[in-house]
């Protein structure tokens, strides 16, 4: 890195999808789903069902969720989700076979639903959408308080292959600092129940960068998680977002000091997991070396479509990403959920963003490059007929100049270096197009 270039923050934006929802806008023409999906490949779709309820809202959370479901809100929500599923499956048509290669329930906390409601949700996905949950990778997110014996029994019987539990910290004081009220004893009891349910893969989410967290306390959380031999571990840097509990409660600490702390703890966590037999899959994801892959073998997130059910879910076609309205503030979230549960006609896309050929190239590069294995250049060339080094000459040259690209990668492999992987949350935003950046900057937080 040249002496005159300021060091970028490693923590600019967590890029889990591109374009981000804050770049979506209401679709004036409200296109019919049947037309959107008419010419799309449907042999390896993924399906995502979003449940926007939690027992508590953590201080760092900016997900689309609300606390509690009073007045049978969860039942009414499932009624709406079933209406949506019926409309979406009709829109997918019967002219060619429709197959789902993977399914996931997220949120919010899907296991906030009762055991009977979880059973109903699975019925909707199986019988309305036609997803064979027992024969495909099927992931569900849970929490210590909601991972009950009854709920886990339903999920195990319906074929869940992966349970992801948000622990964040095994140190009670750190959990309280992150505004996540929980006790380690309750977390350990929940993990025991999950293991007793014999779900094939357990993932534990942990967070680093909590105020007062040290390398020693971070290793305590890592070791507590490792004691359960989880098939996967996700290590998330703490972000303080606008309109979240932590964002309202206190001003963000001095940025450079916090960046240095998070980067130091990231490296501690990465090295610790490697030493204990885990392979790094991305900046955040680590998989036990002897654990089977959990992804669908025939689904490629860069190119295959996704069908989202629920008011916080996205759907992806090759030309349009669409969803419903998005918010973080409690009142706005509740209003959107209420509007969703009152909806009777789900046959059209309401909010979204169109992707032209250039944006599709960006998305492919971004989603591939942020994985530790990097991007298969031949696959990019076969799909787009161009070379990534020509399409993204400026961006890739900048990454190389910062030491973020791996010079030892195979000739047809574009891969981040170890340092580049550590800076994934700067690499991703650097690949946003000017149009997407402008739309995100123009979004009014609510």
């Amino acid at each position: 890195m040249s002496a005159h270039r300021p060091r970028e923050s490693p923590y600019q934006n967590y890029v889990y999808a591109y374009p981000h929802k804050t770049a979506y806008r209401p679709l004036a023409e409200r296109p019919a789903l049947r037309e959107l999906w008419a010419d799309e490949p449907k042999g390896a779709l993924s399906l995502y069902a979003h449940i926007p309820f939690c027992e508590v809202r953590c201080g760092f959370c900016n997900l689309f969720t609300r606390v509690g479901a009073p007045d049978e809100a969860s039942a009414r929500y499932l009624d709406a989700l079933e209406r949506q599923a019926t409309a979406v499956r009709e829109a997918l048509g019967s002219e060619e076979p429709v197959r789902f290669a993977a399914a996931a329930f997220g949120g919010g906390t899907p296991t906030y639903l009762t055991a009977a409601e979880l059973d109903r949700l699975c019925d909707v996905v199986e019988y309305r959408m036609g997803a064979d949950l027992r024969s495909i990778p099927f992931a569900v997110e849970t929490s210590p308080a909601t991972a009950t014996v009854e709920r886990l029994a339903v999920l195990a019987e319906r074929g869940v292959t992966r349970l992801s539990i948000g622990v964040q910290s095994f140190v009670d004081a750190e959990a309280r600092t992150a505004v996540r009220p929980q006790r380690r004893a309750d977390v350990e009891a929940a993990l025991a129940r999950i293991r007793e349910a014999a779900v094939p893969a357990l993932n534990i989410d942990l967070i680093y960068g909590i105020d007062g967290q040290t390398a020693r306390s971070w290793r305590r959380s890592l070791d507590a998680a490792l004691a359960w031999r989880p098939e996967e571990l996700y290590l998330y840097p703490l972000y303080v977002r606008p309109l979240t509990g932590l964002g309202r409660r206190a001003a963000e600490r001095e940025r450079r000091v916090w960046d240095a702390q998070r980067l130091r703890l990231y490296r501690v966590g990465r090295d610790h997991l490697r030493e204990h037999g885990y392979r790094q899959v991305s900046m955040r994801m680590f998989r036990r070396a002897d654990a089977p892959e959990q992804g669908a073998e025939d689904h490629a997130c860069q190119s295959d479509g996704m069908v989202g059910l629920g008011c916080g879910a996205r759907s992806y076609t090759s030309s349009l990403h669409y969803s419903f309205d998005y918010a973080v503030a409690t009142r706005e979230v509740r209003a959107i959920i209420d509007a969703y549960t009152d909806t009777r006609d789900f046959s059209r896309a309401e909010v979204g963003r169109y992707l032209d050929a250039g944006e599709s190239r960006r998305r492919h590069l971004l989603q591939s490059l942020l994985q530790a294995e990097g991007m298969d250049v031949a696959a990019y060339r076969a799909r787009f007929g161009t070379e990534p080094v020509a399409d993204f000459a400026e961006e890739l040259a900048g990454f190389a100049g910062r030491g973020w690209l791996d010079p030892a990668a195979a000739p047809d492999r574009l891969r981040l270096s170890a340092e580049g992987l550590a800076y994934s949350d700067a690499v991703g935003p650097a690949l946003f197009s000017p149009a997407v950046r402008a739309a995100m900057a123009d979004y009014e937080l609510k």
Side-chain angles (χ1 to χ4, degrees), residues 203-225:
N203 171 73
I204 298 176
D205 289 346
L206 298 175
I207 282 181
Y208 56 91
I210 299 169
D211 194 18
Q213 190 177 45
T214 66
R216 176 178 293 181
S217 68
W218 178 224
R219 288 192 188 94
R220 281 176 58 196
S221 275
L222 292 166
D223 287 336

Side-chain angles (χ1 to χ4, degrees), residues 35-216:
E35 296 172 5
L36 289 176
W37 286 98
D39 299 321
E40 295 291 314
K42 305 179 187 75
L45 299 172
S46 64
L47 189 148
Y48 176 75
H50 179 263
I51 303 300
F53 306 113
C54 288
E55 73 273 15
V56 66
R57 185 151 195 176
C58 304
F60 51 82
C61 178
N62 71 329
L63 299 178
F64 188 88
T65 187
R66 62 161 295 175
V67 176
D71 303 321
E72 298 185 340
S74 58
R76 289 186 286 107
Y77 184 84
L78 290 177
D79 289 343
L81 191 142
E82 186 165 6
R83 292 195 298 272
Q84 184 190 8
T86 302
V88 170
R89 184 60 189 85
E90 182 179 336
L92 291 175
S94 56
E95 292 78 15
E96 61 178 288
V98 175
R99 176 180 170 271
F100 291 96
F105 297 168
T109 307
T111 50
Y112 181 87
L113 299 177
T114 66
E117 288 173 331
L118 282 172
D119 214 26
R120 181 187 177 191
L121 177 59
C122 290
D123 280 347
V124 170
V125 168
E126 289 203 35
Y127 303 126
R128 295 294 187 188
M129 295 301 300
D132 186 357
L133 293 177
R134 293 177 180 85
S135 67
I136 60 176
F138 173 25
V140 177
E141 296 173 3
T142 189
S143 68
T146 62
T148 64
V149 171
E150 296 78 13
R151 293 176 173 105
L152 295 174
V154 167
L155 294 174
E157 194 278 327
R158 301 305 290 254
V160 70
T161 58
R162 179 181 183 271
L163 271 173
S164 179
I165 184 168
V167 173
Q168 319 317 349
S169 178
F170 282 86
V171 179
D172 288 352
E174 291 179 0
R176 288 193 299 272
T177 298
V179 195
R180 184 179 178 86
Q182 66 184 26
R183 297 185 307 127
R184 176 171 174 173
D186 297 330
V187 172
E188 301 279 1
L191 289 166
R193 292 192 295 271
I194 292 172
R195 280 312 198 194
E196 289 168 6
V199 174
L202 163 66
N203 171 73
I204 298 176
D205 289 346
L206 298 175
I207 282 181
Y208 56 91
I210 299 169
D211 194 18
Q213 190 177 45
T214 66
R216 176 178 293 181

Side-chain angles (χ1 to χ4, degrees), residues 73-394:
S74 58
R76 289 186 286 107
Y77 184 84
L78 290 177
D79 289 343
L81 191 142
E82 186 165 6
R83 292 195 298 272
Q84 184 190 8
T86 302
V88 170
R89 184 60 189 85
E90 182 179 336
L92 291 175
S94 56
E95 292 78 15
E96 61 178 288
V98 175
R99 176 180 170 271
F100 291 96
F105 297 168
T109 307
T111 50
Y112 181 87
L113 299 177
T114 66
E117 288 173 331
L118 282 172
D119 214 26
R120 181 187 177 191
L121 177 59
C122 290
D123 280 347
V124 170
V125 168
E126 289 203 35
Y127 303 126
R128 295 294 187 188
M129 295 301 300
D132 186 357
L133 293 177
R134 293 177 180 85
S135 67
I136 60 176
F138 173 25
V140 177
E141 296 173 3
T142 189
S143 68
T146 62
T148 64
V149 171
E150 296 78 13
R151 293 176 173 105
L152 295 174
V154 167
L155 294 174
E157 194 278 327
R158 301 305 290 254
V160 70
T161 58
R162 179 181 183 271
L163 271 173
S164 179
I165 184 168
V167 173
Q168 319 317 349
S169 178
F170 282 86
V171 179
D172 288 352
E174 291 179 0
R176 288 193 299 272
T177 298
V179 195
R180 184 179 178 86
Q182 66 184 26
R183 297 185 307 127
R184 176 171 174 173
D186 297 330
V187 172
E188 301 279 1
L191 289 166
R193 292 192 295 271
I194 292 172
R195 280 312 198 194
E196 289 168 6
V199 174
L202 163 66
N203 171 73
I204 298 176
D205 289 346
L206 298 175
I207 282 181
Y208 56 91
I210 299 169
D211 194 18
Q213 190 177 45
T214 66
R216 176 178 293 181
S217 68
W218 178 224
R219 288 192 188 94
R220 281 176 58 196
S221 275
L222 292 166
D223 287 336
L226 288 170
W228 293 97
R229 300 200 73 243
E231 282 70 24
E232 295 175 0
L233 277 157
Y234 268 74
L235 309 185
Y236 288 96
L238 178 64
Y239 277 92
V240 174
R241 301 297 196 186
L243 304 184
T244 62
L246 288 179
R248 289 189 296 267
R249 191 176 71 175
E252 183 176 343
R253 73 195 75 175
E254 206 280 322
R255 183 62 178 264
R256 285 180 297 176
V257 173
W258 194 24
D259 279 352
Q261 180 210 17
R262 286 182 287 181
L263 193 56
R264 182 171 61 253
L265 293 176
Y266 159 77
R267 290 176 171 139
V268 168
R270 176 198 62 192
D271 295 348
H272 198 69
L273 294 188
R274 284 177 174 174
E275 291 167 4
H276 285 78
Y278 283 75
R279 176 174 63 88
Q280 187 167 18
V281 179
S282 69
M283 172 191 167
R284 288 166 169 77
M285 181 180 180
F286 296 79
R287 180 177 291 123
R288 210 178 68 211
D290 62 346
E293 297 281 345
Q294 279 292 309
E297 292 182 2
D298 59 345
H299 176 81
C301 66
Q302 297 93 335
S303 55
D304 289 325
M306 183 166 84
V307 174
L309 299 176
C311 61
R314 311 159 189 255
S315 295
Y316 302 151
T317 70
S318 57
S319 61
L320 177 68
H321 290 190
Y322 64 93
S323 181
F324 296 90
D325 203 0
Y326 171 71
V328 175
T330 300
R331 180 182 300 177
E332 299 289 345
V333 169
R334 289 179 178 177
I336 293 170
I337 294 172
D338 289 344
Y340 174 82
T341 57
D342 289 341
T343 299
R344 292 295 181 268
D345 181 5
F346 286 101
S347 65
R348 295 180 176 274
E350 303 289 340
V351 177
R353 187 171 187 88
Y354 285 97
L355 275 68
D356 60 17
E359 293 289 18
S360 294
R361 288 181 171 89
R362 284 185 182 276
R363 180 171 182 262
H364 186 107
L365 174 61
L366 194 154
Q367 292 194 306
S368 303
L369 194 59
L370 295 184
Q371 301 299 306
E373 64 180 13
M375 188 178 78
D376 182 343
V377 176
Y380 180 99
R381 188 184 303 123
R383 181 181 179 191
F384 298 111
T386 57
E387 298 290 336
V389 293
D391 293 341
F392 301 98
E394 182 178 351

